[in-house]
Amino acid sequence: MANLSSAIDSVFWDHNLSSPQTLEGTARSVPGEPFPVDGARASRSHRIQQLSLLREGFPLGVIPAFAPSSDKRLGSFSLNSLLLSPSSSNWWAGLVGQFKPKKLFADIKTSISKAEEWDLQLFKDTTKHIVDKSLYSVGLWTQIALGSSSSLLLSAERLGDKKGIRKKLMFVHPLEKHDLTVEAAWPDLFLDHKGRFWDVPESLNFDFSSLAPETTGLQYRFGVHKSKGDPQQVNAAETSGDDAPASLFPGLCAKAAVSYKANRDLWRPKEKDDNTKEEEEDDDDDDDAPVFLPYDIRLKEPHAAVSGIVGSTLAAWITGRDTKRSPISADAFGSACCTFQKGRFSKLYGDLTRVDARVDVSSASALAKRIFHAIRRSSGSNKTDDDASGSPRLSLIFQQQVGPIVFKVDSQFQVGAGKYGAQMEDLIYSLNYSLRLLESGKVVAWYSPKRKEGMVELRVFEF
């Protein structure tokens, strides 16, 4: 099924989405906005861990990425590589470098075209272009094990086209049935549903959550978030004048959420008992057809299923109260999904066709308000509701195995908008190469036309 955990994760400030805007490869979703498209969800593994494995399959260990720059001359194309990765039994570190070649090639071409002859001055100009700091970005990560299960992750990165250093700290302490996480970032990068990036100068998160149920069960979370400084839009013109989402403004907020997820199979082939298997093996002794293990154990059975999640939230702004947000608020959210899969994803070609359709309601109160305003407009009122969370979202996910590669399309539509009653809001294309040895791991190359960015990731136990 499509990832229903996004419903409760999107309520808080620490839901990571994939983005090559930073070397870390992630940006936060904005709480209170519509749930992001399923394909935008970030990998569970750290970016530096991904690079250490991905470099084995790329020439010279260089992994490409696309992301718009604040300086248009730098272009979107970049090359990323893990330069150093020392480690010990309870500690590891990594140094990541990034290079954007477009501006370098353009400057060298201009210098050569203007030069009357190949002399020392041309060599000096070329060297000056090569050492241009804006072409290069560098990031340093280190993780320290604190005891048998706790860990502390520290990171710092400097982006060539931006001023200052991005710093981050994350403490993780897994419990038997819960996770405790503390994160701080200076600044923290957020991505809203319109595809705009926002830098919050200072962000601090404390989160305590129960483990997400695999199929059916209850999940609850409690978190405290503190932000300082006005959010600034990234890679935008100074005169854009766009208003930042209200939840990103300075303040201290405590929030709790609880959800219940359920899943029901409409159809799934029954597992055969041992006696039946032995009889079939005796009957099929002459059958030499090879039997393959599934590429992904989570996609090993054809089936049709429905699933859903409902939940509620309670938030209290302790400081930073203003007219854009209520001091105390409560709301409800929910998602419903229908899944159909054909094939066992074990053969080399054409053994997987999968379709997921999911309807999301990120705010029941905003939806009720939108319906009320629609009724009033039908009675002659001109009042409209501009709250984006009031419109349900329809997500359609299509996966098709083409040779050893799975082609995937993640799309999201805003219901009740546009000329035909639904308007496309987001779209992500991806190519997935599954790694059978990891049981449920794959290399994903995705591209988002809306954000004009893409990257290569390693994802484990995600589909």
Side-chain angles (χ1 to χ4, degrees), residues 330-346:
D331 210 338
F333 58 86
S335 294
C337 179
C338 181
T339 300
F340 172 79
Q341 177 179 322
K342 178 184 177 182
R344 298 180 180 275
F345 198 29
S346 59

Side-chain angles (χ1 to χ4, degrees), residues 197-261:
F197 290 92
W198 301 90
D199 259 341
V200 174
E202 186 175 317
S203 176
L204 175 65
N205 290 300
F206 170 86
D207 184 78
F208 179 79
S209 64
S210 63
L211 300 181
E214 187 68 25
T215 55
T216 300
L218 191 71
Q219 184 183 8
Y220 50 88
R221 289 186 64 173
F222 172 76
V224 178
H225 169 78
K226 185 181 186 302
S227 58
K228 184 178 180 180
D230 293 331
Q232 303 294 325
Q233 192 169 354
V234 179
N235 297 341
E238 295 182 0
T239 58
S240 62
D242 293 337
D243 293 331
S247 59
L248 300 185
F249 282 96
L252 176 64
C253 180
K255 182 176 288 189
V258 60
S259 67
Y260 182 80
K261 182 170 69 172

